[in-house]
Amino acid sequence: MGGVQLGHRRFGFVSGSIGGVNGSERYRGLLRSLESAELPPEAVIVCSGASTDNVDDLDAAEPGRAAARELPEGPEPPTATMAINDGCALGVCAGVRDAGQEVGWDVSVVVRGSTGPAPARREVRRVK
């Protein structure tokens, strides 16, 4: 995950369907990235908005938004959040703003997967 190279040590993982193949594969990939960086699996917060119900990728914005609103509430909130696809990332960005934070400044959003003809991995961040 690009966030590890940027120095992030706490991560959120948001997927409209973590029980599905895409969600579970991407989550395992994130854990492998953390292991390579010698970070514990506990560095990832799987958001409560990351439903185990089957949610179509195009409808993932609302679970993403709900999850991102909850992320800053913990004692050690993540500074980077991985979204499973574009729709989920849009929701995460909205939820970050709902929580009074700024995407790219307070929280980096990393997107894995795409619902359209776009690169498979993108990051929204601001260089400080």
Side-chain angles (χ1 to χ4, degrees), residues 2 4 9 14 17 21 28 33 35 40 51-52 55 59 69 72 78 94 96 98 105 112 117 119 124 126:
V4 172
R9 296 295 178 256
V14 182
S17 179
V21 174
R28 282 196 292 273
S33 293
E35 183 179 356
S51 173
T52 56
V55 176
D59 296 325
R69 283 191 298 248
V96 167
D98 292 346
W105 186 259
R112 285 284 187 193
V124 178
R126 179 180 295 158

Side-chain angles (χ1 to χ4, degrees), residues 53-114:
D53 298 333
N54 286 328
V55 176
D56 185 90
D57 286 348
L58 296 175
D59 296 325
E62 193 49 44
R65 186 176 199 159
R69 283 191 298 248
E70 296 175 11
L71 285 173
E73 294 177 3
E76 294 183 62
T79 58
T81 298
M82 179 179 177
I84 191 171
N85 62 33
D86 294 338
C88 187
L90 290 172
V92 168
C93 290
V96 167
R97 288 189 301 272
D98 292 346
Q101 295 184 314
E102 188 176 342
V103 174
W105 186 259
D106 299 307
V107 179
S108 292
V109 178
V110 179
V111 182
R112 285 284 187 193
S114 178

